Amino acid sequence: LTVSERTCEIFDDLFWREQNVIVGAVDNVSAREYLNYVSHFYQIPFLESGTNGLLSLSQPIIPFKTQEYKVPE
């Protein structure tokens, strides 16, 4: 199931307001950016995670307290 603006009928306002934390393990940058947006809009902590080859990456994001998700360069 895709997490994006296209699935906002499934993951609607009520869904996000009931969440205490967002744990992201998505496979593309646009989904990560969308979850970052949702995290800040609803002020929900977001644990971003992923891989880069054999390396694992994680970044805790607390809205308005820590750095937002940024696309790695």
Side-chain angles (χ1 to χ4, degrees), residues 20-54:
N20 294 318
V21 66
I22 299 170
V23 178
V26 296
D27 64 352
N28 63 74
V29 171
S30 63
R32 286 181 172 94
E33 290 174 333
Y34 179 72
L35 289 176
N36 182 69
Y37 163 78
V38 168
S39 167
H40 277 76
F41 186 83
Y42 291 101
Q43 299 185 23
I44 305 168
F46 172 34
L47 178 60
E48 160 48 18
S49 62
T51 60
N52 185 2
L54 297 175

